[in-house]
């Protein structure tokens, strides 16, 4: 590849396809749909979704109406279903119509708005989210019962998909998982015509009871492990590398970078790398994370806006050598843990300053 002065973000769509195949193999019989909100977790909704389409994905989920509109443009004339988790907030109906988006009804007022639309038009299609225990989005079971049990029923409202979301799927031992599952089964009985979708990435790995008919694959498509730690069944989709700019020596007592970042307690060799938090490397990884330099993972001593400092010991490192901050060697979930966050956030923070290269575009 042409040498670059910038950090480089390689987005490997073959790895994405591999991860899709992994999700499919652990959820046999279910349809794996793709969650591509936040510009496909920062990796580019266009190239990501077109490759997923080429791999047979026909159903996509986004959070915002504007994300749905952008995705529709990116997908062109491909006949994909696009669902919007925000549901049907006031004033957006025309935008849903124009872009061919399906709301995932998230509140009771939205449900009433959808019923009114259905009555006025003779038919309206909306998915329904049920809150089974996260307490942030969706109809409660009581609200769902009232909706399903109204004398006029759902009228002309067509509910093709019933959605709920697990709050503790990354922790298979959590009691909230079976509790949410039980509530979801109650909800399913209220809307027997709808297909059902409970599992996101974490739920896909929780076992068949959690799969239902449509699995909403998000972070695991992009390489994040279902239990917030690296999973060998998944490949790295995003690889962030940057060149070593300089190799310097520190003597005991030398202070590094700003403030109290680091004081050498012995002689050290450090590599200064041309990437920083402006490229999306989360600053909180400083002192905890590791970068892959000269064939090993080495401590990330400083994360500044434009520069990283890595302790390289005696390794043969010279200016121009690559440092991998995220990728097949410096694993996504490890970096997330080092920064005190989740893989989702590490991905969405990757910035536009890094040069983007796509492999395997459809
Ligand atoms: C973000 C999101 C997902 C995808 O979750 P992952 O953990 O990334 O797989 C699925 N469903 C809902 C409702 C979401 O908000």
């Amino acid at each position: 590849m042409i040498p670059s002065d910038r950090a480089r973000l390689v987005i490997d769509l073959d790895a994405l396809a591999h991860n899709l195949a992994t999700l499919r193999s652990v959820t046999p019989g279910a349809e794996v749909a793709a969650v591509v909100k936040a510009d496909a977790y920062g990796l580019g909704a266009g190239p990501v979704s077109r490759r997923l389409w080429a791999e047979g994905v026909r159903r996509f989920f986004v959070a915002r109406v504007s994300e749905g509109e952008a995705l529709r443009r990116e997908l062109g004339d491909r006949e994909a279903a696009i669902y919007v988790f925000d549901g049907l907030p006031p004033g957006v109906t025309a935008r849903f119509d124009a872009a061919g988006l399906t709301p995932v009804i998230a509140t009771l007022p939205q449900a009433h708005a959808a019923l009114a639309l259905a009555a006025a038009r003779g038919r309206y299609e909306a998915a329904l989210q049920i809150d089974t225990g996260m307490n942030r989005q969706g109809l409660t079971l009581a609200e769902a019962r009232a909706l399903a049990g109204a004398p006029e029923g759902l009228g002309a409202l067509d509910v093709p998909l019933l959605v709920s979301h697990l709050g503790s799927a990354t922790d298979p031992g959590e009691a909230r998982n079976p509790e949410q599952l039980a509530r979801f089964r109650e909800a399913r009985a209220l809307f027997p015509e709808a297909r059902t979708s409970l599992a996101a990435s974490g739920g896909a790995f929780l076992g068949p009871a959690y799969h239902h008919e449509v699995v909403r694959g998000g972070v695991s498509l992009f390489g994040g492990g279902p239990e917030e730690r690296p999973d060998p069944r998944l490949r790295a989709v995003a690889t962030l590398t940057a060149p070593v700019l300089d190799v310097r020596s520190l003597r005991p007592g030398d202070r590094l970078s700003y403030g109290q970042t680091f004081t050498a307690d012995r002689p050290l060799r450090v590599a200064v790398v041309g990437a920083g938090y402006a490229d999306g490397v989360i600053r909180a990884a400083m002192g905890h994370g590791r970068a892959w330099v000269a064939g090993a993972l080495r401590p990330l001593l400083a994360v500044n806006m434009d520069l990283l400092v890595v302790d390289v010991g005696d390794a043969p490192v010279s200016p121009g050598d690559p440092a991998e901050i995220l990728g097949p060697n410096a694993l996504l979930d490890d970096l997330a843990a080092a920064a005190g966050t989740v893989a989702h956030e590490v991905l969405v923070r990757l910035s536009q300053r890094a040069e983007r290269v796509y492999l395997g575009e459809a």
Side-chain angles (χ1 to χ4, degrees):
M1 239 174 254
I2 311 155
S4 170
D5 65 311
R6 288 192 279 162
R8 174 180 286 143
L9 178 62
V10 174
I11 295 159
D12 181 352
L13 300 174
D14 293 331
L16 174 76
H18 168 91
N19 295 342
L20 172 66
T22 297
L23 274 176
R24 285 174 169 160
S25 75
V26 297
T27 59
E31 172 191 340
V32 176
V35 181
V36 291
K37 59 194 180 187
D39 198 29
Y41 291 50
L43 300 183
V48 163
S49 303
R50 287 190 292 271
R51 179 61 192 264
L52 289 170
W53 171 273
E55 300 296 324
V57 172
R58 293 293 176 268
R59 211 188 283 261
F60 296 86
F61 290 87
V62 294
R64 304 276 113 83
V65 184
S66 53
E67 292 174 353
E69 292 169 326
L71 180 60
R72 183 60 79 199
R73 286 192 295 275
E74 295 285 2
L75 284 169
D77 57 9
R78 297 173 182 84
E79 281 182 29
I82 301 176
Y83 295 83
V84 179
F85 289 133
D86 277 354
L88 204 54
V92 296
T93 315
R95 291 171 61 191
F96 273 80
D97 293 342
L101 309 175
T102 308
V104 183
I105 298 300
T107 67
L108 198 54
Q110 289 183 8
H112 289 136
L115 285 172
L117 274 171
R121 295 180 178 189
R123 183 174 172 276
Y124 191 71
E125 189 181 283
L128 194 58
Q129 178 153 186
I130 307 293
D131 173 14
T132 54
M134 278 188 84
N135 294 299
R136 55 166 212 187
Q137 216 171 26
L139 271 59
T140 63
L141 265 183
E143 289 171 335
R145 262 187 224 109
L147 186 68
E152 65 284 9
L154 292 180
L157 182 65
D158 185 11
V159 179
L161 189 69
L162 202 61
V163 171
S164 190
H165 195 40
L166 297 167
S168 300
T170 55
D171 188 350
E174 263 257 25
R176 185 156 62 146
N177 294 319
E179 286 165 15
Q180 288 198 256
L181 176 60
R183 289 195 200 107
F184 191 58
R185 286 180 167 150
E186 276 187 60
R188 182 177 63 181
L190 298 170
F191 303 94
E193 306 293 311
R195 300 182 78 208
T196 50
S197 177
L198 177 61
S201 301
F205 292 82
L206 277 183
Y210 290 86
H211 295 161
H212 292 268
E213 292 166 278
V214 177
V215 169
R216 304 185 307 277
V219 75
S220 288
L221 286 175
F222 308 111
E227 295 182 32
E228 296 183 345
R229 56 170 182 263
D231 187 309
R233 292 168 289 185
L234 301 168
R235 283 175 52 192
V237 173
T239 297
L240 183 70
T241 55
V244 170
L245 301 178
D246 193 12
V247 180
R248 310 174 72 94
S249 296
L250 271 64
R251 291 163 304 174
D254 281 350
R255 288 173 59 172
L256 177 67
S257 180
Y258 297 102
Q260 305 296 326
T261 298
F262 180 81
T263 304
D265 59 357
R266 59 200 154 83
L268 277 184
R269 273 176 81 241
V270 298
V272 180
V273 175
Y277 58 76
D279 302 286
V281 183
I282 297 184
R283 188 172 173 275
M286 175 161 76
H288 309 286
R290 295 187 300 169
W292 179 264
V293 185
L297 284 169
R298 304 177 189 282
L300 203 47
L301 301 180
V303 177
N304 297 155
M305 188 185 287
D306 314 308
L307 298 171
L308 306 171
V309 183
V310 181
D311 175 359
V312 292
D314 298 329
V317 179
S318 336
D321 287 353
E324 178 189 311
I325 301 113
L326 175 68
N329 302 297
L331 301 175
L332 173 60
D333 288 288
D334 289 338
L335 180 58
T341 184
V342 290
H344 309 61
E345 188 183 2
V346 171
L347 293 174
V348 298
R349 297 240 178 241
L350 293 169
S351 85
Q352 295 295 332
R353 185 166 75 173
E355 174 194 9
R356 289 184 174 222
V357 178
Y358 286 92
L359 304 179
E361 272 189 272

